Amino acid sequence: MSGLSLFDRLERETTTTRWVQIDFVGLESQLIAWIHQNVPGSSQLVVGLGDDAAVLKPNGAQVVTTDLLTDGVDFLIEEVTPEQIGHKALGVNLSDLAAMAASPRAAFVSLVLPQSGTKQLSALDLAIGLYRGMLPLAQEHGLTIAGGDTNSWDGPSAISITAVGEATARGPLTRSGGQPGDQLLVTGRLGGSILGRHLQVEPRVSEALLLHEKYELHAGIDISDGLALDASRLAEASGLGAVLDLPAVPTTDAAHTLGEQSGRTALDHALADGEDFELLLAVPPAEAQRMIDDQPLPVPITRIGEFTKQHGLWQRADNGQLSPLPAQGFEHGADE
Ligand SMILES: [Mg+2]
C-alpha cells in the first residue's frame, strides 16, 4: 500500500466495492434468468419461483431436512465438478427424507459463491453447474426446486439445501420406534464409498416408501456416517442396544478394493467409512423374515443383527457370545 496515495487508495477501494456490487447483482439476476428457463415448475406449488416466498399446500405431515456442504470441508472444488457437488447436496437431503419414509416435494437452494469463480469456471457457470447436478435427481424423485438465495464473496463456495417431504398415511418413520428383538435389516451393500459412490449418491427414496407401505417398520436411519455409528444412533434413539452379526454385513466391491490399499478388511470399511446412503431398518422378526423372503427391492435386503435391551453396540461371535463393538464412524457434524 505504501506506493499509493490516500486518494489512490480511496479511489481503488471505492472502485473495487462498486465493481463487486455490480457483479453481485449481475450474477444473481443472470442466475435467476437461467433458473426460470431451466428449472421446471410444479402443480404441487401454489406459488413457486418468482415471488417473495414459495407457497406449499401440504396433504400430510411435513418432513423437513437441511444439509450444508462447504468447499474445503465436504468437497474440494478443484477436484470435483459442480454437477457432482449439486447432485450430492440434493442427494444427501433426499436420503434423509428416505430415512423418514417421506415423499419428496420441494427444495430450497442457497448458494454462496466465490466472486471470481474457480480456476476453471466463472461464478455464474459454477452456479449453473450446481443446478445441472441437482435437476435430474430432483426430476427422478418428483421434487421441485421452489426457491433459494445466492450470494457471492471473497471466500470458498458453500451450498445449503433444505428439502421438504410429506409423510405418507402411515406417518413418518423415525429412529425411536425400535423394540427389543427387532431385526436390523440393511439395503444394498456397504463400504468404500470414497472410491466414487460418495459423490454418486442414490437416495433410497422409492425403496423406503415401498417398504414403509408394504411392511411394518419400527425405526429407520440412512447410513451416512458408517454402519457402526449409525446403528448405535438408531439403537440409542430407541432406548436400546444393537447386536451386529459381522459376517452377515454385505460389503461392496469398492470396500474390498479399498481394503487391499488400506490393509484393513472390507468389513472395517463397511462399518466405518460412511456415505453409503443405504437404509438401516428395525423390523419385527416375522415381518423381517417376510422382507428377506420377498426381496421386493432392486437391491438386496440383508439381516445383519437385532436390537437388544442391553444398551451399547455389540458384535456376536459364532458361539453367541457378545463383545463390545466400537461405534466408530465418520463424524460430519450434527446430522439431524
Ligand atoms: Mg440421516
Side-chain angles (χ1 to χ4, degrees):
M1 282 294 173
S2 57
L4 294 171
S5 70
L6 180 61
F7 179 77
D8 286 337
R9 284 173 57 188
L10 279 173
E11 186 179 57
R12 175 170 288 198
E13 282 168 18
T14 311
T15 308
T16 307
T17 306
R18 197 181 299 137
W19 180 82
V20 167
Q21 293 215 325
I22 290 167
D23 182 66
F24 167 69
V25 172
L27 169 65
E28 191 168 28
S29 57
Q30 287 178 74
L31 181 60
I32 288 170
W34 186 90
I35 287 171
H36 276 284
Q37 279 175 1
N38 291 276
V39 175
S42 167
S43 55
Q44 295 179 72
L45 296 173
V46 181
V47 177
L49 291 165
D51 214 311
D52 293 288
V55 180
L56 314 177
K57 199 170 186 185
N59 297 313
Q62 300 284 283
V63 180
V64 184
T65 181
T66 192
D67 259 290
L68 171 67
L69 301 186
T70 307
D71 180 18
V73 180
D74 303 288
F75 59 88
L76 296 172
I77 195 96
E78 304 294 351
E79 293 183 10
V80 291
T81 66
E83 285 80 2
Q84 287 174 317
I85 300 166
H87 175 99
K88 181 169 183 175
L90 186 56
V92 296
N93 275 283
L94 285 165
S95 185
D96 277 329
L97 290 184
M100 307 293 290
S103 200
R105 288 287 182 262
F108 299 86
V109 178
S110 292
L111 304 179
V112 180
L113 304 169
Q115 278 153 20
S116 48
T118 66
K119 279 184 194 154
Q120 320 279 339
L121 297 166
S122 69
L124 179 63
D125 287 338
L126 174 59
I128 290 172
L130 292 168
Y131 271 90
R132 287 209 168 112
M134 292 174 232
L135 289 175
L137 197 59
Q139 191 180 11
E140 182 186 342
H141 295 284
L143 174 139
T144 308
I145 295 174
D149 198 9
T150 302
N151 224 325
S152 64
W153 73 324
D154 185 19
S157 306
I159 173 168
S160 171
I161 299 184
T162 299
V164 180
E166 255 173 46
T168 66
R170 291 196 88 149
L173 179 65
T174 64
R175 295 182 182 183
S176 60
Q179 298 290 321
D182 277 354
Q183 302 294 291
L184 292 172
L185 305 183
V186 71
T187 62
R189 298 177 171 277
L190 309 176
S193 64
I194 194 71
L195 296 185
R197 202 160 166 237
H198 70 120
L199 292 170
Q200 294 142 12
V201 184
E202 286 182 49
R204 299 296 183 207
V205 176
S206 56
E207 291 84 354
L209 291 170
L210 183 144
L211 295 178
H212 192 47
E213 188 192 339
K214 287 180 95 173
Y215 303 94
E216 186 193 354
L217 312 180
H218 279 172
I221 189 171
D222 65 319
I223 302 176
S224 53
D225 296 343
L227 173 63
L229 191 53
D230 286 325
S232 67
R233 284 176 178 152
L234 187 64
E236 236 173 78
S238 291
L240 299 166
V243 178
L244 297 185
D245 296 312
L246 296 183
V249 173
T251 51
T252 60
D253 290 343
H256 289 266
T257 306
L258 195 60
E260 283 162 21
Q261 296 165 19
S262 68
R264 294 161 62 207
T265 64
L267 176 64
D268 283 340
H269 285 290
L271 286 171
D273 285 358
E275 305 223 308
D276 301 294
F277 302 108
E278 295 292 350
L279 301 169
L280 177 65
L281 304 167
V283 184
E287 204 67 345
Q289 191 56 53
R290 201 159 71 86
M291 287 166 69
I292 298 284
D293 293 341
D294 291 354
Q295 290 296 330
L297 303 182
V299 292
I301 299 175
T302 311
R303 183 197 164 281
I304 58 163
E306 64 190 28
F307 271 165
T308 171
K309 282 182 185 163
Q310 197 171 359
H311 284 241
L313 185 64
W314 307 91
Q315 55 183 317
R316 182 158 45 198
D318 288 342
N319 64 6
Q321 192 97 44
L322 298 187
S323 57
L325 181 66
Q328 59 191 352
F330 191 86
E331 293 269 13
H332 288 86
D335 175 34
E336 299 300 335

